[in-house]
Amino acid sequence: MKVAVFSAKKYDQTSFADWADPSLEFSFFDGPLDPQSAKLTQGYAAVCVFVNDDLSAPVLTELKAAGVGMIALRCAGFNNVDVAAAKELDLRVARVPAYSPEAVAEHTVAMILCLNRKLHKAYNRVRDDNFALDGLLGFNLHGKTAGLVGTGRIGAATAKILLGFGMELLCYDIQVNDELVKAGVRYVPLEELWTKSDLISLHCPLNPQTQHMINADSLALMKDGVMLINTSRGGLIDTKAVIKALKSRKIGHLGLDVYEQEADLFFQDLSGQLIEDEVFKRLLTFPNVLITGHQAFFTQEALQQICQVTSDNLLAFKANRLSGNEL
């Protein structure tokens, strides 16, 4: 079965070569899936896409006209998919519901530690033979209160690590994780989480209910100097409101692995180009902001699981059966 893989980087090609089923025939396209590139899918039974590919109704219609019957997401989130349109067009959509949640959780904690102890600044200072400690003062995580929004597999993995630091954990989710409750976390309403947390980390999906959940109103409820971490989806945050909160020092530390307009930036080398996104460039001017390019998932274990589950989803479609990962 022929599969067109979009937004494919070298590591994707290597991963599929190592771990995907050899009966699947992959063609790799470096660019994203969009209304123009959808025309390249003629003759393919399926497409394989990532977080910033365009799966709106017009693109899905183009895929259907080209003969595509299956959309394999090599990610857990599906906010970029018009699911209703896919069902209407009888296009099967399957995702990778979980891949090494520890990878994202560990990256989350790495951002927390780096921001708090200013490791990025210390690294540059020492390379310049500057060993002064002024401006590098941090705080103990032990005894502080962390608020986790979302306690699915990634949120739960993050909670277990933070509990190990001796932090008090406040959590919010529409579904309570009994294992975490037994471990000592407390589920509270969002308003209480905003108000009482020294550190807030987002681990929930992006949907109409969570879009811009971090906004001027929620930020106003937070402690002065709060640390905010987002390794989930960029649209959870109203970036302009966050910039105002950084300027007023409401936010003391900001860690982002995702960005609302990242589709035009992330997963490519733009070092020789002029970035025209003024909002993103404004974020980079703050010394207490740490941004990584959607790399929280990026471990060997996660890539292996992504490829294997994606392969299984494609094989299930080929055999006219369900894998259990369909939307």
Side-chain angles (χ1 to χ4, degrees):
M1 185 173 73
K2 295 181 65 177
V3 182
V5 184
F6 288 90
S7 299
K9 306 305 178 188
K10 289 183 179 179
Y11 49 81
D12 292 308
Q13 298 185 41
T14 300
S15 299
F16 276 97
D18 290 343
W19 295 309
D21 189 279
S23 68
L24 297 170
E25 182 182 344
F26 296 100
S27 297
F28 297 96
F29 298 91
D30 180 67
L33 178 63
D34 56 29
Q36 289 71 44
S37 61
K39 296 176 172 42
L40 302 173
T41 60
Q42 193 76 39
Y44 290 92
V47 296
C48 180
V49 295
F50 200 43
V51 294
N52 291 321
D53 288 304
D54 182 354
L55 292 155
S56 59
V59 174
L60 295 176
T61 301
E62 189 75 42
L63 295 178
K64 183 68 176 181
V68 171
M70 163 75 173
I71 297 163
L73 301 169
R74 55 184 191 277
C75 54
F78 51 91
N79 55 283
N80 56 330
V81 184
D82 188 330
V83 178
K87 290 181 178 178
E88 186 174 336
L89 291 165
D90 195 27
L91 287 169
R92 184 185 296 189
V93 183
R95 65 185 182 128
V96 183
Y99 48 89
S100 187
E102 292 78 17
V104 181
E106 290 168 9
H107 190 86
T108 298
V109 176
M111 297 191 87
I112 292 170
L113 292 171
C114 184
L115 279 165
N116 176 28
R117 303 308 297 269
K118 302 174 179 60
L119 301 181
H120 52 310
K121 293 184 178 181
Y123 172 80
N124 287 323
R125 281 192 188 184
V126 170
R127 290 175 67 86
D128 289 335
D129 300 327
N130 180 356
F131 305 101
L133 299 184
D134 303 286
L136 301 181
L137 187 67
F139 57 86
N140 286 4
L141 293 177
H142 184 88
K144 298 296 189 300
T145 299
L148 300 185
V149 182
T151 54
R153 296 181 184 182
I154 294 173
T158 305
K160 292 173 184 176
I161 298 173
L162 296 181
L163 285 170
F165 280 103
M167 301 191 77
E168 178 185 352
L169 258 65
L170 303 179
C171 297
Y172 173 83
D173 202 310
I174 57 175
Q175 183 173 347
V176 172
N177 185 320
D178 293 330
E179 182 184 351
L180 290 182
V181 173
K182 291 178 182 177
V185 313
R186 187 160 61 92
Y187 280 83
V188 298
L190 261 183
E191 183 171 324
E192 183 176 348
L193 187 148
W194 299 146
T195 304
K196 294 184 176 179
S197 299
D198 301 298
L199 179 162
I200 295 171
S201 188
L202 306 179
H203 301 284
C204 55
L206 176 62
N207 55 44
Q209 290 70 44
T210 61
Q211 176 88 20
H212 285 183
M213 69 186 314
I214 303 298
N215 52 48
D217 293 335
S218 56
L219 286 164
L221 296 174
M222 296 178 193
K223 291 184 177 183
D224 290 343
V226 67
M227 178 184 288
L228 178 62
I229 307 290
N230 187 12
T231 55
S232 186
R233 286 293 184 267
L236 298 174
I237 288 179
D238 180 342
T239 310
K240 292 183 180 179
V242 162
I243 288 173
K244 290 182 180 179
L246 284 164
K247 291 170 65 177
S248 70
R249 293 172 176 76
K250 168 63 74 172
I251 295 177
H253 306 83
L254 177 66
L256 301 177
D257 186 55
V258 289
Y259 172 61
E260 191 167 13
Q261 305 301 327
E262 69 176 60
D264 296 327
L265 300 172
F266 289 4
F267 305 113
Q268 52 190 328
D269 182 358
L270 301 178
S271 58
Q273 301 181 34
L274 178 66
I275 293 177
E276 298 182 358
D277 187 330
E278 297 296 335
V279 174
F280 184 79
K281 289 198 294 185
R282 183 69 179 96
L283 280 173
L284 294 177
T285 66
F286 292 96
N288 53 344
V289 172
L290 177 65
I291 301 176
T292 52
H294 208 134
Q295 73 174 83
F297 79 99
F298 198 54
T299 66
Q300 294 179 356
E301 293 82 359
L303 286 180
Q304 180 175 355
Q305 290 178 34
I306 288 170
C307 288
Q308 290 175 340
V309 174
T310 300
S311 178
D312 291 343
N313 290 340
L314 288 164
L315 290 173
F317 171 72
K318 182 181 178 182
N320 197 27
R321 58 179 175 81
L322 296 177
S323 67
N325 297 323
E326 289 80 12
L327 299 179

